[in-house]
Amino acid sequence: EPEVTQTPSHQVTQMGQEVILRCVPISNHLYFYWYRQILGQKVEFLVSFYNNEISEKSEIFDDQFSVERPDGSNFTLKIRSTKLEDPAMYFCASKTLGGTGELFFGEGSRLTVL
Amino acid sequence: DQQVKQNSPSLSVQEGRISILNCDYTNSMFDYFLWYKKYPAEGPTFLISISSIKDKNEDGRFTVFLNKSAKHLSLHIVPSQPGDSAVYFCAASDLTGNQFYFGTGTSLTVIP
């Protein structure tokens, strides 16, 4: 069964460092997403991406964050300078275009900031 | 602005009994509703969905009910099994089908 894969499963970084989280969406999906879940809190939308550009982003997705699809398979989330409030599970998800249909989530990347 | 709300953070049910998880939403433009199940340290996995044109969708032990006038949906699990113990998230999408809003989750514990 096709799945969304994320790497690394756990990223430990120093505050102020850049972090790149990687995702390989399901191959025939066209919409890509990043969500995060801070421990004990809800799953929060960060950004959606379609046709090589951001289609929507939340208030959380400020200038510290960026997304990129550097090739035909990877979808990355970059945090330029990590802060103490950034630790969370970051989930990548993908979906076929439009209509009804569910998001398929990856296993998540846990970010720890020291 | 919390457009999708799950007011019960946790629920405990005896094995074999019915689990009922509730979800409310505020946006009348939501067109499609989903339930996701999440185990610790794993990503959410899709469980069941319902379109706004229906009021019920059933898949095995799982049934989702939608009450559009009340902007309320519920997930029924019958009979509940210990393996159902997880966090359940309600989600809604808009007419584009490409933007999803999640609730805060309900942690279900099924007691053997």
Side-chain angles (χ1 to χ4, degrees), chain B residues 43-105:
Chain B
T45 55
F46 170 73
L47 193 56
I48 193 170
S49 63
I50 188 166
S51 166
S52 62
I53 62 173
K54 294 187 173 183
D55 55 18
K56 177 182 174 181
N57 188 27
E58 191 172 349
D59 183 2
R61 296 186 296 114
F62 303 91
T63 303
V64 55
F65 295 92
L66 175 63
N67 182 334
K68 284 187 68 178
S69 61
K71 295 192 181 69
H72 177 84
L73 65 155
S74 61
L75 174 68
H76 293 210
I77 307 173
V78 182
S80 301
Q81 300 174 353
D84 296 330
S85 297
V87 177
Y88 289 79
F89 291 96
C90 169
S93 78
D94 58 18
L95 291 172
T96 68
N98 293 321
Q99 181 65 300
F100 294 80
Y101 301 86
F102 282 81
T104 51

Side-chain angles (χ1 to χ4, degrees), chain A residues 31 33 35 37 40-45 48 56-57 89 91 95-108 110, chain B residues 1-2 31-32 34 36 38 41-46 49 51 87 89 93-105:
Chain A
Y31 245 95
Y33 304 79
Y35 286 82
Q37 185 183 27
Q41 298 186 25
K42 66 176 181 176
V43 175
E44 301 176 292
F45 168 72
S48 59
E56 281 201 58
K57 60 182 181 179
M89 282 292 285
F91 295 104
K95 181 185 176 296
T96 56
L97 177 64
T100 58
E102 67 269 22
L103 289 180
F104 289 81
F105 283 87
E107 295 284 296
R110 176 171 297 283
Chain B
D1 179 28
Q2 187 67 31
D31 191 55
Y32 185 58
L34 311 91
Y36 281 82
K38 185 182 180 302
E42 294 185 12
T45 55
F46 170 73
S49 63
S51 166
V87 177
F89 291 96
S93 78
D94 58 18
L95 291 172
T96 68
N98 293 321
Q99 181 65 300
F100 294 80
Y101 301 86
F102 282 81
T104 51

Side-chain angles (χ1 to χ4, degrees), chain A residues 21-67:
Chain A
L21 305 178
R22 292 181 170 80
C23 170
V24 178
I26 294 173
S27 60
N28 64 340
H29 285 185
L30 298 176
Y31 245 95
F32 314 119
Y33 304 79
W34 283 101
Y35 286 82
R36 79 174 185 188
Q37 185 183 27
I38 296 171
L39 186 63
Q41 298 186 25
K42 66 176 181 176
V43 175
E44 301 176 292
F45 168 72
L46 293 179
V47 65
S48 59
F49 190 89
Y50 168 68
N51 198 27
N52 284 320
E53 61 182 21
I54 291 173
S55 54
E56 281 201 58
K57 60 182 181 179
S58 71
E59 294 174 352
I60 304 167
F61 194 87
D62 60 20
D63 292 344
Q64 287 283 79
F65 293 91
S66 63
V67 289

Side-chain angles (χ1 to χ4, degrees), chain A residues 55-98:
Chain A
S55 54
E56 281 201 58
K57 60 182 181 179
S58 71
E59 294 174 352
I60 304 167
F61 194 87
D62 60 20
D63 292 344
Q64 287 283 79
F65 293 91
S66 63
V67 289
E68 194 177 36
R69 188 155 164 82
D71 53 42
S73 60
N74 289 285
F75 178 52
T76 62
L77 174 70
K78 181 192 289 187
I79 307 175
R80 294 186 219 289
S81 175
T82 50
K83 302 175 184 173
L84 290 178
E85 57 263 35
D86 290 332
M89 282 292 285
Y90 287 81
F91 295 104
C92 175
S94 69
K95 181 185 176 296
T96 56
L97 177 64

